[in-house]
Amino acid sequence: MIEYSDELSFDQLIGGIYSAVPADELPGADDRPAFAEGIRQSLPPDQRFIEDVRVSMLVARIR
């Protein structure tokens, strides 16, 4: 297993939110900038976004 931490930009953070929310619950394309700005304003201005990542691989052979 490999483990590491990475710092995300705000755009990466909001992209992760968009990918985690079901498509039918996302704001429309025209509303997304305001949605992202609302999230940005709700966070401390100097906030760093750290993501802890764990990567595992399961490798097998098919005969």
Side-chain angles (χ1 to χ4, degrees):
M1 178 170 14
I2 298 171
E3 296 183 31
Y4 64 94
S5 295
D6 196 12
E7 185 170 349
L8 303 177
S9 68
F10 180 77
D11 288 340
Q12 290 170 315
L13 177 75
I14 198 72
I17 292 170
Y18 289 153
S19 70
V21 174
D24 63 332
E25 295 181 26
L26 283 172
D30 292 341
D31 297 326
R32 289 184 189 176
F35 176 77
E37 186 58 29
I39 292 175
R40 183 187 303 271
Q41 289 180 5
S42 70
L43 298 170
D46 59 346
Q47 178 71 41
R48 295 176 59 207
F49 310 110
I50 306 297
E51 179 179 30
D52 295 321
V53 179
R54 290 184 183 166
V55 180
S56 298
M57 291 189 296
L58 177 60
V59 180
R61 288 178 136 175
I62 300 176
R63 293 183 189 211

